[in-house]
Amino acid sequence: MAVRIIRLGEARQPDEGLRVGTVRRPPRGVRKEDFARRDYFDVWLPELAPSEPLRAWALAKPFTPARFARRYRGEMSRPAPRRLIGLLAALSASTNFSVGCYCEDASHCHRSLLAALLRDAGAEVRTPDAKT
């Protein structure tokens, strides 16, 4: 079993399982009942997305991956996000599911950082470039 790291809105992969959207906002112009049908997400978990202040800061400044990573990891070290990461890591031992966001480049967003946090919590994580 594994957690897949995906881009929301892209076609689902075989055996991907439930999609968890770790984004601050739902997709614009899409009705709530169409989120899953249009390959966005089945469950919305904004608590694992960067906070609105961090998102605004990242968009307003020249993007610095190291500073963004430090700030995002700081947010995820709080008790509630830590518990959610632990829950997802534990679930990955018994079921396939995926987590993701809208960003085109995973190296410039939080989903690559979230993948590392899930691995650190004991989850088997698969990224799009991984074989199998």
Side-chain angles (χ1 to χ4, degrees), residues 71-130:
R71 291 180 72 171
Y72 178 74
R73 284 190 187 107
E75 290 184 351
M76 294 302 106
S77 70
R78 295 178 184 146
R82 235 182 24 240
R83 285 190 296 269
L84 289 171
I85 290 167
L87 172 67
L88 293 177
L91 286 172
S92 74
S94 61
T95 190
N96 289 329
F97 62 93
S98 55
V99 297
C101 69
Y102 309 123
C103 299
E104 188 172 342
D105 184 353
S107 68
H108 283 82
C109 78
H110 74 285
R111 76 175 177 257
S112 58
L113 301 169
L114 183 56
L117 292 170
L118 286 164
R119 274 190 199 96
D120 292 348
E124 180 182 339
V125 177
R126 292 197 181 134
T127 55
D129 57 326

Side-chain angles (χ1 to χ4, degrees), residues 8 12 18-22 35-36 40-46 98:
L8 301 177
R12 292 177 189 255
L18 185 79
R19 268 194 184 193
V20 180
T22 61
F35 291 168
Y40 285 104
F41 50 79
D42 302 301
V43 178
W44 185 31
L45 197 58
S98 55

Side-chain angles (χ1 to χ4, degrees), residues 9-85:
E10 290 186 346
R12 292 177 189 255
Q13 300 299 309
D15 299 320
E16 184 178 297
L18 185 79
R19 268 194 184 193
V20 180
T22 61
V23 291
R24 186 60 44 201
R25 297 183 179 130
R28 290 182 182 192
V30 179
R31 295 180 335 174
K32 186 177 184 177
E33 56 269 16
D34 292 336
F35 291 168
R37 184 181 62 77
R38 293 186 53 189
D39 292 330
Y40 285 104
F41 50 79
D42 302 301
V43 178
W44 185 31
L45 197 58
E47 295 82 1
L48 295 181
S51 67
E52 182 57 32
L54 178 54
R55 188 196 68 77
W57 172 84
L59 293 175
K61 305 282 183 186
F63 190 79
T64 309
R67 289 188 70 197
F68 177 78
R70 186 171 48 253
R71 291 180 72 171
Y72 178 74
R73 284 190 187 107
E75 290 184 351
M76 294 302 106
S77 70
R78 295 178 184 146
R82 235 182 24 240
R83 285 190 296 269
L84 289 171
I85 290 167

